Amino acid sequence: MSQPTLPTAEPLPAPRSGTLDRLRGAVHQLAQAERLQRALFAIADLAGADLSMRAMLEQLHAIVGTLMYARNLFMALHDPDADTLEFIYFVDEASVDIPTLSVPIPMSDMHQSLTWHLVRGGKTLRGSMNALAQQMDGQLKALGAHSSDWLGVPLRDGAQVRGVLVVQSYDQPGRYGPEDQELLEFVASHVLTALQRKQARQDLERAVTVGTAELARMNQALHAEVARRQRGERLQAALYRIAERANDLGPVQDFYRAVHHSVGELINARNFYIALLSDDGSELRFPYYVDEKQIGTKVRPLGKGLTEYVLHRGQPLLTSAAEIDRLAEDGAITKSGPSSRSWVGVPLVCEGRALGVVAVQSYQPDVTYTERDRDLLGFVSHQIASSLVRRRTTESLRLANAELEQRVAERTAELQEQIGVRRRVEAQLKHEALHDALTGLPNRSYLLERLDWLQSRLHRHPDQRFAVMFIDVDRFKLINDSMGHHAGDAVLREIGRRLSSVLRAPDMVARVGGDEFAVLVADSPAAEPAVRIARRMLEVLDEPMLVEGKRLFASASIGISLCDRAQPTATDLLRNADTAMYRAKVNGRRRFELYDEHLHSDALRVLDLENALWVAVKERQFEPFFQPIVSLLDGRVLGYEALARWHHPTEGLLAPDSFVHVAEDSGSMEAIDWQIFEQSCTAMVQMADFAGYLSVNVAPRHFRNPVFCDRMLQLLADTGLPPQRLCLEITEGALIEDPEHTSTVLHTLRSHGMALALDDFGTGYSSLGYLHRLPLLTLKIDRSFVEPLGGRGRGGSAGAQGTEGDNEAGRDPNSNPNGAASSTGAPANPSAAVVRAVLALAGSLGLNVVAEGIETPAQQSALLALGCTQGQGYLFGRPAPLHPTILIE
């Protein structure tokens, strides 16, 4: 049987060229990934290694060198706040001008360089200098050596560029490819992390070093304090020992030596002696004498030495070598023996008589005595004298001790009294610092402290909410101006007392300004408690108060702000309450308002409007619009009234009612008025074919300006408008504030030829005294009396730098000031009676009459029928710019 033939194995085919390349590429990628992994591990280890920054950077350089060609490498950190670049590592084989390491360089010094573009652009840059120059949006400025190939990546921390990492080659163009770029970008993030960790560690070490130094300083100060206290304790112990020895009736020499030893512990007493006067007063005895330059005698006759000088004066003496020479020159003493550099002598006084002297002296220039040493020796002298007297007689000692105890007691009482006075003064000063001097209420500082405490309590206990009220007295300036500041102070004191009477502990009322108060309601979880208190405050303020024999009524506007944890500071709470108070004033006074976020938004809007108004004044964005004043008989234009308009850069043309209130409060209204005055006069002069007059509205604030007349006359001179062609319209508000001053100003203006008109007549006090005393030429009947005379037209006529009929309030010219529908002009119309009365009054005084707000032919006819021949309104023309070539006829 034949064997089966086994198949012959065929040899394996040789790998194709493409497969081999892929395998080699895979091996290369695996090797590259392994090198990258090792590099990242090494970078991570470096951040925690105990290396200096320089050593760590060198290791980072070496690690990057394992991944690519990196013989030339530098790293720099960018400070975005200071806009500087700090090179922390720089290795370059070609650059000669190497930047100083760790020194911040302004980015402006590197403007348009590759590093500057890398930081500013925040994107990786790769290529030769020429290739990079073509990639830049701007000019490329070369700094340092010219490289053949350059690869730089930003060190990014989120969106911020915190530094750069750059490698470059000088010998091979195109050395760095996309793979190197991707690799360096990946490594860069880990390098930045390592640098930040290293820098954080260095910052921590510096902080520890600073803290250690501070602890050492505190320890040194503590040691100094301990040493000072130890010196004090030694002084007290020495003085105690001296006092104790004075009571010892042992051998007198032991007493003297003990005193000398105790004094020597406190001051330099190497030269110390005690001299006693003999009973007959002719000799000096030296029972104890220690001197490093001479041996003292036991007894000597009384002479003219320093010891005798102290005995005669009976006062302690602290002197120097120069003073001793002066005393010798004056003949007060006679020098003998070695010259002392410093000498202190204190008499031993008993019962008013000097028994002797205790003295110390120094022959060294570096040892001088002070007043403290003199006082110490004075204490010692008392002890020595007491001891001597005690040894002479026990009774004398008892009396001396009693006297000493009495003196100590008196001094102690004086000190206790002084301490008491000081405490009372400190308490008074603290009270004055935290309380208002006029009302005795807490002041703003006390209020802010209390607010901070309540906020801290709220932080700990969120359910313990509180409220802040801001209170402003309505029209308080009128009280001050009419009755004087003394009456105003009395009103403020009474208001403070009434507000306090409404509150309960621990609520508090404080005076925070001239006529401003603030109230803290310590327990107000909701608005009801604060609202209840606010209503009660308004009620108690409604009661009349008797001030200087007059019954006065005061009201207040109140803003309330409820506090929760969202409020960051005490000043924010006060601001919110103040904002709500301002809203209460706007809404009519004598009321309260609760703060909400809308009020804050309104306050911000007002602030923006104030700023915009000042910008508008500076950029002259205001322009006068002109409304004709005509003859009702034939429609002939007699004059023009100038009305302000604002060319807002974003909102277009604005009428006064949109900005006049804010302009008045911010103080910009006067500047706006003068711009309107100037432009109106200039425009009128340019109307060469028109011979009528210009009417401008003058607000009361202008009459408070002492140079108003001079400025107006100068404006007319500068523009060339004759004063006889200008009519100034005023309201009764200008006459009420200061009638005498206003009358003087008006007579001055009239004397120069200007006409004067009383605007909105009939809407205010309508005092006939004004018409009699003031040099008026025209009365303007308010539109509220004209409107009922006929059918209502489409809107009213604007007036003043505000609007016609109310230049202070800036009323919308299209609104009905009475809030009621117009009448049909019935014969019994009360407005017709008012107009007829005004016309009769004006006729008797020789005054012209101009009716405002004429919008319909029916109104014109009614006015003519009543005898009024001049007027203005939308029927004849709306306010518009006045051009030299346009006349309304």
Side-chain angles (χ1 to χ4, degrees), residues 54-71:
R54 177 65 185 180
M56 188 191 81
L57 294 174
E58 291 175 349
Q59 292 288 337
L60 286 173
H61 184 183
I63 292 169
V64 175
T66 64
L67 303 176
M68 64 184 67
Y69 179 81
R71 293 177 61 185

Side-chain angles (χ1 to χ4, degrees), residues 40 243 280 392 472 649 673-674 711 720 750 758 877:
L40 295 180
D280 59 3
R392 292 179 180 181
D472 186 87
D673 283 348
W674 281 108
R711 186 173 179 182
R750 185 70 188 99
L758 184 59

Side-chain angles (χ1 to χ4, degrees), residues 530-546:
V531 168
R532 211 165 35 243
I533 293 174
R535 287 197 178 102
R536 180 59 182 148
M537 287 180 174
L538 293 176
E539 290 174 1
V540 298
L541 292 179
D542 281 343
E543 296 295 326
M545 58 184 71
L546 189 63

Side-chain angles (χ1 to χ4, degrees), residues 43 47 188-198:
I43 292 173
S189 63
H190 293 77
V191 169
L192 178 59
T193 302
L195 289 175
Q196 289 177 335
R197 290 176 59 188
K198 184 67 177 179

